[in-house]
Amino acid sequence: MDLRAHRKLVADRFSAQARRFVEWADGTSDAGPLTAPVALRQVVAVYTAALAMPQPWSEHVSPRSEEQAVDMTVALSAVRLRAAAIPLQHYSEIFSPLVPQDEPVVGDLADDLVDIYRHLARGLQLHAAGLVDDALWEWGFNFQVHWGEHASSAIRALHCYLAQEDPTGLCSGD
């Protein structure tokens, strides 16, 4: 399999997981309230899928312009509103474990889910338009510099919440 075909295969696989996350987060696939156990599983799944994406992401990327971007204001508001159903909203975290800070910062689970959603949805738009390399760049580069940090913070916060407040939700399989 040549490199281009391999990159398309990887993008197709990741897009399936990204779509599951996006449709869960915005309520497209299930309009029910978001729960902490399901949120943890969704974030872990998309984080794990991102680890399989190839590098470099910048090969054959199209020139980008803001005119290409689709307005996601309504969808992002829907994700934020749905995320309010999760009992955990704010949590304490160290911004970077590599650079110790005097004080922890406040993390926001809804903000984490919105930022993950934004990059995944944008990549799905690019993928649907046939711009495989652009989609991989959107997903991969932003995983490294932005949404991956939100995902790892959300994973830790959700894990700690469930371990303390709802241990059955941590390993219940629901």
Side-chain angles (χ1 to χ4, degrees):
M1 178 181 302
D2 72 353
L3 180 61
R4 194 150 192 80
H6 176 69
R7 291 173 66 80
K8 181 171 181 349
L9 178 65
V10 170
D12 291 347
R13 283 186 189 149
F14 185 79
S15 72
Q17 187 61 54
R19 185 166 317 287
R20 281 190 286 277
F21 180 91
V22 164
E23 291 176 353
W24 163 79
D26 67 14
T28 305
S29 65
D30 180 5
L34 302 188
T35 65
V38 175
L40 178 58
R41 287 178 183 82
Q42 288 286 343
V43 176
V44 166
V46 76
Y47 187 92
T48 301
L51 295 174
M53 285 191 291
Q55 286 194 35
W57 303 296
S58 59
E59 291 181 356
H60 312 292
V61 174
S62 305
R64 303 177 111 201
S65 70
E66 290 304 313
E67 296 92 46
Q68 293 175 323
V70 174
D71 184 14
M72 286 192 260
T73 306
V74 173
L76 296 176
S77 294
V79 173
R80 184 170 298 284
L81 182 62
R82 285 176 44 77
I86 300 172
L88 171 67
Q89 288 299 304
H90 297 97
Y91 57 89
S92 178
E93 80 168 326
I94 301 298
F95 184 69
S96 172
L98 302 178
V99 182
Q101 295 184 358
D102 295 336
E103 299 285 326
V105 296
V106 175
D108 181 332
L109 185 60
D111 182 62
D112 293 335
L113 296 177
V114 164
D115 281 345
I116 296 165
Y117 180 96
R118 177 183 296 115
H119 291 294
L120 297 182
R122 178 66 180 132
L124 287 170
Q125 292 166 352
L126 294 165
H127 185 261
L131 301 170
V132 171
D133 289 305
D134 295 62
L136 286 171
W137 185 90
E138 180 69 36
W139 292 323
F141 176 76
N142 286 304
F143 171 69
Q144 182 178 344
V145 301
H146 191 238
W147 76 262
E149 291 183 20
H150 282 277
S152 63
S153 295
I155 290 167
R156 174 121 172 101
L158 286 162
H159 174 88
C160 290
Y161 170 79
L162 289 168
Q164 292 176 20
E165 302 296 326
D166 182 14
T168 61
L170 193 56
C171 299
S172 67
D174 64 356

